[in-house]
Amino acid sequence: MGTVIQPTNLASNSRNWTECCSDLSDSPLKHVSFPTSKVSNKQNLHPHQINRIYDELFEIHQKLQRHNTEVEHLTEVLKEKNKESKRLRSSFDALKELNDNLKKQLNEVSEENRKMEIQAKRVQARLDNLQRKFEFMTIQKLKGNSHVAHEMKSLKQEKVPVSKTGKVPLNAQVYELLTIFMDWISDHHLSKLKSEESGMDGEKPVLGFAAQRNEIQEKCVKLLPMMTEQLQWMPFVNAKLHEPFVKFMYWSLRQLDAGTQHSTMTSTLRRLGEDIFKGVVTKRTDNNYLEHSVENKPKTAAFFKSSNLPLRFLSTLIVLKTVTQADYLAQAFDSLCLDLKTDEGKVLFLEYQAVPVILNHLRISSKGLLSNVIDSLLQMTVESKSLQPFLEACSNTLFFRTCSVLLRTPKLDLQILEKLSIILQKLSKIKSNKKLFELFTIHLMLQEIQRTTHPEHAFLCINLNSTLFNLGLTKCNSVASNASH
């Protein structure tokens, strides 16, 4: 017992010790006498006690082994965690470096963008200066007439106080004079469109007039792009000058109706229509743009959304002439219908000869707008001083040809047909229109519609009967005649 027994040999030693003790009991040496003290110690420690001690030591050894195993496992887990931590740190460092690079690139791009903005402002200022120079040279060419030069000189003298205030750009000072010329040219030259319809009844236009018309169209083609650019100056110009300026553009557009140059100006007309529809808002001013400007807040020029009815009416017609977006056109027709409910609106409709503008949209391809288009024409048929001039403006081949094409549309909407029948019924009262009904066989189409219309659609039947009666093609009973009136 003086030596230390290894834990792994505890079990075997316990068995050997037991066997040894049993052998000793049978051995011849069992009769050998030992000293009394040793015999007493031997008798105090029994084999089963020794076995129990060894069993406890063995159990402790097993627990120590399990503990070592757990320590080794935890050590491995700790190593894996350390490796993962190192990988995360490495990834974080890489992302941090990438983020720093991106920040650096962003700063470089921002600086480059700032330089480009400065350069763009300089280019814009240079462009504005060149534009003002061009306008000045154009005005100088008009000074050949001494009377004109005198008026311009007096105008400049009147405008000196305005220049000192610096509230309008330099070239706005000549707008008042130019708008006088524009009004004169619009009213006495460009608005003379009736001669375009000569030849509709078989007559051919005079050769000299055709050449003159081509010359006018060429001038309008040159002027319209420049006038579209000038819209950007309108916020700085007195609002009372907007109407003659827009009116000049409108009549210039109308001059292009009969020409072939209309298609070459698609982008110009699109921009013109959008600016008229949305209005113009001045961009931020700089020292080169308005050197002495006191007010730096944005200024606006409203056209289509103007509170001035004549300006708004003209702008609406320009939108209808130049824009193709359905939502813009729908808003334009809504505005037109509201304006035509007033007597002044009806007068403006006739003054600006708007029937051909409306007829351009009276086709089945504009199905979504067709009801709005006819509603605008229907507003003009309400009893007023403008009714008869409107009917006369519709008494031409352009109107009847358009109606003829529309009536040939299969399965035409009933409401569209009813509204159109109202206009045709009123036109049939003009005796000279009978040959136009016959020229485009509208009377035959109306007879066929009358034959196939269900009696439940009494309103349409009454209008058809009244129209055919006015054309001398049927007998109209008194009920239909009274209802039509």
Side-chain angles (χ1 to χ4, degrees), residues 312-327:
R312 182 174 67 248
F313 202 94
L314 278 166
S315 301
T316 301
L317 295 179
I318 289 178
V319 171
L320 295 178
K321 285 286 297 176
T322 57
V323 170
T324 57
Q325 292 96 315
D327 54 337

Side-chain angles (χ1 to χ4, degrees), residues 121-382:
K121 290 178 181 179
R122 292 174 179 172
V123 172
Q124 183 63 40
R126 176 60 177 164
L127 179 62
D128 293 338
N129 290 335
L130 290 174
Q131 186 175 358
R132 288 195 293 269
K133 184 177 179 181
F134 171 77
E135 291 164 355
F136 178 76
M137 293 175 65
T138 303
I139 294 170
Q140 289 294 326
K141 292 180 180 179
L142 299 176
K143 290 185 177 181
N145 190 309
S146 59
H147 178 69
V148 174
H150 176 72
E151 287 188 2
M152 290 179 64
K153 184 177 179 180
S154 61
L155 180 64
K156 288 182 180 180
Q157 292 175 352
E158 292 175 1
K159 290 293 182 178
V160 168
V162 178
S163 177
K164 289 182 179 179
T165 62
K167 293 185 178 180
V168 294
L170 181 63
N171 71 339
Q173 298 175 4
V174 299
Y175 268 99
E176 188 170 348
L177 177 61
L178 290 178
T179 50
I180 294 174
F181 290 147
M182 290 177 184
D183 256 342
W184 173 52
I185 296 172
S186 297
D187 295 338
H188 295 280
H189 296 280
L190 296 180
S191 62
K192 306 301 181 182
L193 299 174
K194 291 183 179 180
S195 55
E196 291 181 0
E197 296 179 359
S198 63
M200 287 188 173
D201 298 326
E203 301 175 4
K204 294 184 178 180
V206 181
L207 183 61
F209 167 75
Q212 182 183 8
R213 185 179 62 185
N214 290 337
E215 184 179 355
I216 294 175
Q217 289 173 358
E218 290 177 2
K219 286 180 169 54
C220 291
V221 168
K222 293 178 180 178
L223 279 174
L224 278 171
M226 291 188 289
M227 298 190 71
T228 302
E229 292 292 334
Q230 288 302 307
L231 284 174
Q232 306 304 316
W233 289 94
M234 289 296 103
F236 300 102
V237 179
N238 192 326
K240 70 178 183 180
L241 303 179
H242 292 181
E243 182 186 344
F245 186 81
V246 174
K247 181 167 70 172
F248 186 87
M249 287 194 295
Y250 170 72
W251 287 120
S252 297
L253 281 172
R254 293 298 306 276
Q255 284 291 334
L256 301 182
D257 285 346
T260 58
Q261 293 138 340
H262 198 292
S263 59
T264 64
M265 302 181 62
T266 304
S267 59
T268 298
L269 298 183
R270 181 172 60 249
R271 180 184 173 187
L272 170 61
E274 290 179 355
D275 286 346
I276 291 292
F277 181 85
K278 297 178 182 178
V280 178
V281 180
T282 59
K283 299 179 181 178
R284 186 179 62 185
T285 59
D286 53 35
N287 293 333
N288 291 327
Y289 189 67
L290 287 177
E291 296 180 356
H292 306 288
S293 179
V294 177
E295 299 179 4
N296 198 25
K297 57 184 180 181
K299 297 183 178 181
T300 60
F303 303 108
F304 173 71
K305 298 178 182 179
S306 172
S307 58
N308 180 12
L309 177 57
L311 176 59
R312 182 174 67 248
F313 202 94
L314 278 166
S315 301
T316 301
L317 295 179
I318 289 178
V319 171
L320 295 178
K321 285 286 297 176
T322 57
V323 170
T324 57
Q325 292 96 315
D327 54 337
Y328 287 9
L329 292 174
Q331 293 183 55
F333 275 112
D334 289 341
S335 175
L336 181 63
C337 288
L338 289 175
D339 290 340
L340 288 177
K341 290 182 179 180
T342 66
D343 290 338
E344 185 182 359
K346 292 182 176 65
V347 172
L348 291 173
F349 186 94
L350 297 172
E351 179 182 348
Y352 298 135
Q353 305 175 35
V355 171
V357 179
I358 307 303
L359 292 181
N360 189 46
H361 298 277
L362 190 64
R363 55 178 184 269
I364 197 60
S365 59
S366 305
K367 191 173 182 180
L369 298 171
L370 198 53
S371 180
N372 293 342
V373 176
I374 295 186
D375 284 343
S376 62
L377 293 175
L378 208 57
Q379 287 292 337
M380 293 297 297
T381 63
V382 177

Side-chain angles (χ1 to χ4, degrees), residues 80-92:
E80 290 297 326
K81 293 293 184 182
N82 287 335
K83 291 180 180 179
E84 183 67 21
S85 178
K86 289 180 180 179
R87 284 196 297 269
L88 290 175
R89 181 175 294 277
S90 176
S91 300
F92 175 77

